[in-house]
Amino acid sequence: MRLLGVDLGTKRIGIAVADALGFGAYPCVTLVRARSRAEDIAAILGWAEREAVDAIVVGLPLSFQGTKNDWTLHCEKFSATLAQATPLPIILQDEFLSSQEAQADLIAAGVSRKRREAVIDQAAAVQILESYLRSR
């Protein structure tokens, strides 16, 4: 099953894709948040169509204790709106520490600070997808 990963942020949305065999996830693009939720959803669905995915995995930011916060509720609401706009299954995946793990991976790979800023959201989306693949 081919999957699209989404790391939803306040300013940017990271997009990644997992191959059909579930062997790995790969970064695609960082989208700048649009003025409206509808535009953001259209951009995500454009990538879903472009990558011919079977499902979309959206990161769900839970706290260290596994509880919900304001951003968790925002992501749930966004995901519900996304689900209404597509027949594709929408899967919520705990994204706890995904950005920190992505940052550590990029540093370990020797990626410059400037380049890390440009790709961190994509790398976090990769972490979300890989976490989902490990949980299956």
Side-chain angles (χ1 to χ4, degrees):
M1 176 175 4
R2 205 158 153 78
L3 302 168
L4 189 79
V6 177
D7 177 49
L8 188 63
T10 57
K11 296 181 182 178
R12 293 175 301 276
I13 300 171
I15 303 289
V17 67
D19 61 51
L21 298 176
F23 287 134
Y26 310 95
C28 287
V29 68
T30 298
L31 304 171
V32 175
R33 293 292 302 259
R35 291 180 185 245
S36 73
R37 179 177 288 167
E39 290 176 86
D40 288 337
I41 287 173
I44 292 167
L45 293 179
W47 276 95
E49 183 177 336
R50 187 176 295 119
E51 295 294 333
V53 299
D54 302 301
I56 300 173
V57 180
V58 178
L60 187 66
L62 299 172
S63 72
F64 180 69
Q65 296 84 10
T67 58
K68 295 181 180 184
N69 55 42
D70 289 342
W71 191 245
T72 309
L73 300 175
H74 173 81
C75 290
E76 287 177 331
K77 186 174 180 180
F78 184 94
S79 297
T81 306
L82 180 61
Q84 292 173 348
T86 181
L88 294 172
I90 306 300
I91 302 161
L92 297 177
Q93 175 65 34
D94 181 8
E95 68 166 46
F96 182 69
L97 295 180
S98 63
S99 293
Q100 291 85 345
E101 290 172 356
Q103 186 83 281
D105 288 349
L106 292 170
I107 290 170
V111 177
S112 72
R113 180 182 304 262
K114 184 175 181 179
R115 180 72 179 136
R116 282 195 311 264
E117 290 176 11
V119 299
I120 188 66
D121 301 289
Q122 296 171 46
V126 167
Q127 291 291 332
I128 291 164
L129 277 178
E130 289 179 345
S131 174
Y132 174 74
L133 292 171
R134 282 191 304 270
S135 72
R136 289 184 19 188

